[in-house]
Amino acid sequence: MTSEQFNKFWTLNFADTIPIQHYFRQDCSDRWFRIHSLPESKRYADNEEEWNILLDRQNKIITDLLGNGSNFILVTGDFSSEDDTELHPHEEVNSIANIPFVLLDPIDLKKLSPDEYEIGQFYKPMFSEQIWQPNKFDSILKDIADDQLRAFFISVDKKLIIAPYDGGVDFILNNAETRNVYKQKYSDWLSLREDGL
């Protein structure tokens, strides 16, 4: 997939948002739901047993949604400022350091959210085509769960986004009906909060 093909796919399926995952919930709320990675909504794993629960939950639901052996797109990026100081350089994250990425056009964060960012701050998204296999991407999932990495997965075939974060996983499915099916299926892992957070 080229950057042009990625942009076309994104525009056709996720035109309401941009490839920065903390915007997904707000921009695609009608297709969004969230699971928590640990019992009682605990945010971080502290021991091997909790890591096993976290990885088991995430691998189970991601495999259910993507399908074992399915193609998906891994998306991450770097925040940078005008003087080129990397705020979260992906090269420093071991789990993705050797993955070849295709660069996308930088996003001017000041234009996107003037009150939140300064002039000259950009986000540089990038992607890599991968094949999903359970537990193959555990190092990436662990880095995300440990807040060392921001990344998400896209299924082109199923037109969905899977966005792990430190605490759980956000999902943007292709419609509200499909979202509701999976919310019910994984209801034991949902937040008890009314807003689903």
Side-chain angles (χ1 to χ4, degrees), residues 132-145:
W132 177 260
Q133 292 175 349
N135 302 112
K136 178 180 178 182
F137 298 92
D138 280 1
S139 60
I140 290 175
L141 295 175
K142 287 184 78 171
D143 276 342
I144 294 172

Side-chain angles (χ1 to χ4, degrees), residues 13 15 24 43 62 74 96 99 103 130 136 145 151 163 173 182:
N13 294 283
F24 297 162
R43 188 149 196 174
I62 294 171
L74 169 65
I96 62 168
I99 294 176
L103 295 175
Q130 301 289 327
K136 178 180 178 182
L173 302 190
Y182 281 94

Side-chain angles (χ1 to χ4, degrees), residues 6-196:
F6 180 97
N7 289 334
K8 183 177 180 181
F9 168 80
W10 189 270
T11 301
L12 286 172
N13 294 283
F14 303 107
D16 293 337
T17 192
I18 59 171
I20 302 177
Q21 62 200 65
H22 65 265
Y23 288 95
F24 297 162
R25 177 177 59 86
Q26 176 182 325
D27 295 342
C28 305
S29 59
D30 58 325
R31 301 187 279 161
W32 169 85
F33 82 102
R34 168 177 289 182
I35 63 133
H36 287 166
S37 297
L38 290 169
E40 301 177 1
S41 300
K42 187 178 181 192
R43 188 149 196 174
Y44 295 103
D46 289 325
N47 54 54
E48 186 176 353
E49 181 183 1
E50 290 179 345
W51 276 116
N52 288 338
I53 292 170
L54 183 151
L55 292 171
D56 182 67
R57 283 190 180 190
Q58 292 192 5
N59 276 282
K60 182 176 181 179
I61 193 169
I62 294 171
T63 301
D64 191 11
L65 282 163
L66 291 181
N68 190 11
S70 295
N71 295 324
F72 77 97
I73 300 171
L74 169 65
V75 184
T76 187
D78 284 330
F79 288 93
S80 66
S81 58
E82 211 163 41
D83 59 6
D84 246 0
T85 301
E86 299 292 344
L87 304 180
H88 296 285
H90 76 278
E91 293 94 343
E92 294 181 7
V93 182
N94 289 335
S95 61
I96 62 168
N98 296 316
I99 294 176
F101 284 98
V102 177
L103 295 175
L104 295 165
D105 292 335
I107 297 169
D108 187 333
L109 297 172
K110 179 67 173 176
K111 287 183 181 177
L112 178 69
S113 185
D115 295 334
E116 189 176 355
Y117 297 102
E118 303 294 329
I119 293 173
Q121 290 186 315
F122 292 88
Y123 184 71
K124 301 173 181 177
M126 59 193 78
F127 71 91
S128 178
E129 294 181 90
Q130 301 289 327
I131 297 175
W132 177 260
Q133 292 175 349
N135 302 112
K136 178 180 178 182
F137 298 92
D138 280 1
S139 60
I140 290 175
L141 295 175
K142 287 184 78 171
D143 276 342
I144 294 172
D146 236 358
D147 201 24
Q148 300 301 308
L149 173 67
R150 307 284 169 87
F152 62 93
F153 310 151
I154 302 171
S155 170
V156 173
D157 294 338
K158 298 183 178 180
K159 300 176 175 60
L160 59 84
I161 293 173
I162 298 169
Y165 70 97
D166 55 329
V169 186
D170 285 336
F171 301 92
I172 306 297
L173 302 190
N174 59 347
N175 55 54
E177 293 75 20
T178 305
R179 184 269 316 266
N180 292 340
V181 168
Y182 281 94
K183 273 187 76 172
Q184 179 60 38
K185 185 172 184 178
Y186 293 97
S187 58
D188 288 346
W189 300 349
L190 302 180
S191 168
L192 297 177
R193 290 174 44 150
E194 191 173 332
D195 60 8

